[in-house]
Amino acid sequence: MLAFAIRRAFQSFIVLLVVGLVAFSMFNFVGDPIDNMLGQERTGADIERLRVQLGLDQPFPVQYYRFLEGAVQGNFGISYRQGRPVSEVISERLPATLELAFVSAVLAVIFGVALGVFTAIRRNGWAANTIMTLSLIGVSLPTFLIGILLIYLFAVELGWLPSFGRGDVVDLGWWRTGLLTQSGLKALILPAITLGLYQMTLIMRLVRSEMLEVLRQDYIRFARARGLRDKSVYFRHALKNTLVPVITVTGMQLGAIIAFAIITETVFQWPGVGLLFINAIRFVDIPVMAAYLMLISVMFVSINLIVDLLYFAIDPRLRLDRRGGEK
Amino acid sequence: MANALGETFSRAWKSDFMWSFRRTPVAIISFIVALTLILGAVLAPMIAPHNPFDPATLNLMNGFSVPMEPNQFTGETFWLGTDDQGRDVFSTILFGMRVSLFVGFAAVAFAMTLGVTLGLIAGYVGGWIGALIMRIADVQLTFPGILVAMLIFGIAKGFTPIDQRDEMAIWVLIIAIGLSEWVQFARVVRGATMVEKNKEYVQAARLNGRSSAGIMLRHILPNVLGPVLVIATISLALAIIAEATLSFLGVGAPPTQPSLGTLIRIGQGFLFSGEWWIILFPSITLLALALSVNLLGDWLRDVLNPRLR
């Protein structure tokens, strides 16, 4: 176990180093920082002085090391577009994205598990079949079209919910939350559904197929033979045994939710890091792009690492023949 | 001559492949839909009622025409209505599909070439090169494709001089989407190559003194093409959606060469003022295109390689 954990952690570390190299190269090769900082009237001496001051005269590995040192401390320089430190811009927008991602994930798990159990129990009922067909269509719809559709229905036609923004926020000092105001909660509904829908269908299909698999087994038949009620058989016996893969997939999908938040945030003009990233791409704001890349990589890699380790700890069968880190 | 052609045709018609096709209504419908859309895109300059990019043919008075109703000023009727500038929505969709499909096909071709080459090398040569290729693939798989594509798009945009960004956008898009999709090809080809390379025909070819490159291209490649074709079809659907998403987000096709995604982006602005047709019809077209290609891919997978399920 320990050896596996160390090897896996080491691999994650290497991945982060590589991503860091990509982010660093973006700084280095896309545009010239000296050009960005000095005006038209510059002399060779100015350039040389700034070069030394910025440490650009150092060899590549030294520069890379300095970049990593800064990155670990959350220092990514100044946004070209906003003229403020990137860390400040990002930390001010991160709560919005995390709240959106969290609510989406919770919705996806609750509805995904509930619908999965339902469609497994009523396997051939019309309601279950309808849900399965709808989920197929839902998977093929691009996220942004789902968002537009919801906006059209609930904001334009019915006028029940706002179509953009985050509503009123409450400042808790270090965290600005929209979860405590009515308008904040209302504004959250449509983006959260849009973002969570894909993961919901994924969890639903997974729960359904796992349930069908489990319900076929002998201990379920035995539980029925003992005269247990349906509810007890389905939830106490069957559902419990489907939860390991569900937890894993949900964990893995957390990263995807944060990444796909870029699309949802743009559709709903949600003031999170995803929208920030898209605007950074459009205006080639390299420091913001690099910082977002590092941020999301750390999230992805640590989520994957935790899920892998958890999986390994929960399911003893995997310990025998699993090669480290292979998916 | 006609006889030989007829013979070939009837043999193809009786093959397992065609038999399965004729037995699968979903495949037939998807094929017809996809073919119609592709033909529409290819023949756009001939069948489009207007050229939406020729300002001389546009009449601002035609702006916001409702579908199937004569315009209140000019009396002209447009099947699918017009946008704010008086551009016929039907024509912009036809031309938009050209961009979408061009980017889709080119990106898949690029991803396929890259993925198959690297997969063959990783599978046949192996060693540290193979290990390195597969590690890169693993790392890339950790991130969703769309994120990778966005990032590459952003970096490439930084490299292009500002006055050429619009012209280069399409090519940058192709490279970005292509690079985000090569992994699937590489993985499948590597797996298949590792199986094939121990078979007798490969050993025989090696004894004949063929070079490694020759063996990979002439002997192994034809035998791993089945799954590659399946992945290519599914990738095409993914690439079309990826392109639409990027363009919708404003980091894809430029306004001068709008794709379906750009049209939807433009149409979103008119949703609140009640001009629903500007966004609805491009969206339906995108859905029909992606869905039909996707369903064709599913069917191909079942026919060509049941193991991939």
Side-chain angles (χ1 to χ4, degrees):
Chain A
M1 172 72 198
L2 189 66
F4 172 78
I6 293 173
R7 198 169 56 215
R8 196 63 192 70
F10 181 70
Q11 279 168 353
S12 308
F13 182 68
I14 298 282
V15 171
L16 283 182
L17 273 188
V18 172
V19 176
L21 194 63
V22 172
F24 173 65
S25 315
M26 278 162 57
F27 269 112
N28 246 29
F29 301 119
V30 183
D32 184 352
I34 305 270
D35 263 350
N36 284 323
M37 297 174 79
L38 285 181
Q40 290 282 323
E41 291 164 24
R42 56 191 179 192
T43 60
D46 281 343
I47 292 178
E48 201 43 50
R49 188 171 43 77
L50 193 60
R51 190 173 289 282
V52 173
Q53 197 184 333
L54 293 177
L56 294 178
D57 56 336
Q58 304 285 333
F60 187 84
V62 176
Q63 286 190 39
Y64 180 40
Y65 176 76
R66 288 201 175 158
F67 168 80
L68 285 180
E69 210 175 41
V72 170
Q73 293 163 9
N75 180 4
F76 283 94
I78 310 239
S79 158
Y80 292 167
R81 186 157 162 262
Q82 309 200 13
R84 292 193 297 149
V86 174
S87 51
E88 200 180 298
V89 178
I90 285 194
S91 59
E92 154 188 307
R93 280 172 167 247
L94 199 56
T97 298
L98 290 181
E99 274 176 13
L100 175 62
F102 176 73
V103 173
S104 307
V106 170
L107 284 182
V109 170
I110 293 175
F111 285 98
V113 170
L115 289 176
V117 171
F118 177 78
T119 47
I121 296 173
R122 303 272 159 80
R123 185 140 67 115
N124 293 315
W126 65 269
N129 283 339
T130 315
I131 294 173
M132 290 304 286
T133 315
L134 278 181
S135 82
L136 248 186
I137 298 174
V139 169
S140 352
L141 273 172
T143 316
F144 68 94
L145 278 187
I146 295 176
I148 293 175
L149 195 67
L150 289 178
I151 289 181
Y152 183 69
L153 280 180
F154 293 101
V156 179
E157 284 296 312
L158 298 170
W160 291 349
L161 298 165
S163 62
F164 68 90
R166 213 186 154 197
D168 297 326
V169 289
V170 178
D171 201 337
L172 299 179
W174 48 277
W175 186 281
R176 297 214 299 192
T177 179
L179 296 177
L180 295 177
T181 61
Q182 207 192 355
S183 73
L185 286 175
K186 266 177 120 178
L188 186 61
I189 297 176
L190 292 184
I193 293 176
T194 309
L195 184 54
L197 205 60
Y198 182 80
Q199 272 69 30
M200 190 203 84
T201 46
L202 207 70
I203 294 173
M204 179 188 112
R205 296 182 152 260
L206 185 74
V207 170
R208 177 178 181 271
S209 64
E210 291 284 327
M211 279 287 280
L212 290 177
E213 190 70 25
V214 169
L215 285 176
R216 238 183 277 152
Q217 293 188 7
D218 286 343
Y219 73 90
I220 296 294
R221 204 178 296 166
F222 185 66
R224 284 193 196 286
R226 274 162 61 204
L228 293 180
R229 276 174 303 142
D230 273 358
K231 208 168 126 191
S232 169
V233 172
Y234 290 138
F235 292 97
R236 301 276 298 276
H237 289 74
L239 183 61
K240 252 190 190 170
N241 281 295
T242 66
L243 285 183
V244 173
V246 172
I247 291 170
T248 330
V249 168
T250 314
M252 293 290 203
Q253 289 298 318
L254 269 182
I257 285 184
I258 291 172
F260 280 105
I262 298 173
I263 301 167
T264 309
E265 283 178 11
T266 312
V267 176
F268 290 94
Q269 290 298 304
W270 185 265
V273 280
L275 192 57
L276 183 74
F277 177 63
I278 276 294
N279 286 329
I281 292 182
R282 290 175 60 195
F283 298 101
V284 198
D285 192 345
I286 299 289
V288 175
M289 277 166 70
Y292 180 83
L293 174 64
M294 286 308 290
L295 179 76
I296 206 157
S297 311
V298 170
M299 284 185 188
F300 268 57
V301 168
S302 29
I303 288 171
N304 275 354
L305 180 65
I306 293 169
V307 168
D308 255 23
L309 293 180
L310 268 185
Y311 210 34
F312 195 77
I314 294 173
D315 197 338
R317 280 169 301 182
L318 292 169
R319 285 176 208 164
L320 286 175
D321 52 7
R322 199 174 149 100
R323 282 187 299 148
E326 293 279 326
K327 276 270 104 56
Chain B
M1 178 64 197
N3 214 355
L5 209 71
E7 179 116 335
T8 320
F9 183 74
S10 93
R11 265 183 61 196
W13 185 251
K14 282 177 191 151
S15 66
D16 290 352
F17 188 73
M18 285 311 291
W19 186 84
S20 161
F21 182 73
R22 279 178 292 154
R23 293 288 164 119
T24 321
V26 175
I28 298 176
I29 295 170
S30 305
F31 181 72
I32 293 173
V33 172
L35 194 68
T36 315
L37 291 173
I38 292 174
L39 277 180
V42 171
L43 302 177
M46 278 177 260
I47 55 178
H50 299 257
N51 181 353
F53 305 108
D54 180 5
T57 67
L58 296 179
N59 183 354
L60 271 180
M61 297 292 273
N62 278 330
F64 297 128
S65 298
V66 182
M68 300 304 287
E69 279 176 30
N71 183 280
Q72 51 176 330
F73 302 113
T74 61
E76 285 184 70
T77 306
F78 299 90
W79 290 356
L80 304 182
T82 59
D83 67 4
D84 56 331
Q85 320 244 355
R87 277 189 293 243
D88 175 33
V89 171
F90 179 60
S91 306
T92 53
I93 288 178
L94 286 177
F95 279 91
M97 267 200 310
R98 277 167 87 90
V99 179
S100 290
L101 281 167
F102 176 69
V103 172
F105 275 110
V108 170
F110 177 53
M112 189 162 77
T113 316
L114 187 68
V116 168
T117 312
L118 291 179
L120 277 174
I121 294 173
Y124 191 79
V125 181
W128 69 268
I129 299 183
L132 180 70
I133 292 173
M134 294 329 284
R135 284 313 301 176
I136 296 174
D138 281 348
V139 171
Q140 196 180 321
L141 264 193
T142 321
F143 301 91
I146 192 93
L147 187 68
V148 176
M150 278 179 198
L151 208 69
I152 297 170
F153 187 87
I155 296 174
K157 199 171 170 184
F159 276 117
T160 9
I162 291 175
D163 52 327
Q164 287 172 17
R165 276 185 189 159
D166 271 7
E167 292 160 42
M168 297 299 289
I170 296 289
W171 298 101
V172 169
L173 207 50
I174 290 169
I175 292 172
I177 296 174
L179 280 181
S180 71
E181 284 185 359
W182 68 275
V183 177
Q184 291 300 331
F185 291 99
R187 293 192 132 203
V188 167
V189 169
R190 171 178 172 264
T193 305
M194 284 169 69
V195 174
E196 295 293 324
K197 83 169 175 187
N198 294 322
K199 289 192 176 164
E200 277 150 4
Y201 73 89
V202 174
Q203 286 170 357
R206 211 179 288 165
L207 282 178
N208 269 345
R210 263 203 183 260
S211 67
S212 293
I215 293 174
M216 280 190 256
L217 291 178
R218 296 292 294 277
H219 296 281
I220 296 181
L221 184 60
N223 284 304
V224 301
L225 274 186
V228 168
L229 186 63
V230 175
I231 295 178
T233 316
I234 294 171
S235 291
L236 179 62
L238 285 178
I240 290 172
I241 288 190
E243 187 279 328
T245 305
L246 290 178
S247 296
F248 173 79
L249 296 178
V251 291
T256 47
Q257 278 168 294
S259 72
L260 290 176
T262 323
L263 293 178
I264 296 171
R265 175 187 172 79
I266 296 171
Q268 197 195 7
F270 300 109
L271 196 57
F272 293 94
S273 45
E275 282 92 19
W276 48 270
W277 58 90
I278 305 177
I279 189 170
L280 179 70
F281 296 116
S283 307
I284 291 179
T285 315
L286 173 67
L287 266 188
L289 194 60
L291 199 61
S292 61
V293 175
N294 223 337
L295 290 172
L296 267 183
D298 278 357
W299 166 74
L300 264 183
R301 180 185 57 191
D302 294 347
V303 178
L304 291 182
N305 200 333
R307 270 176 307 150
L308 274 178
R309 278 198 87 123

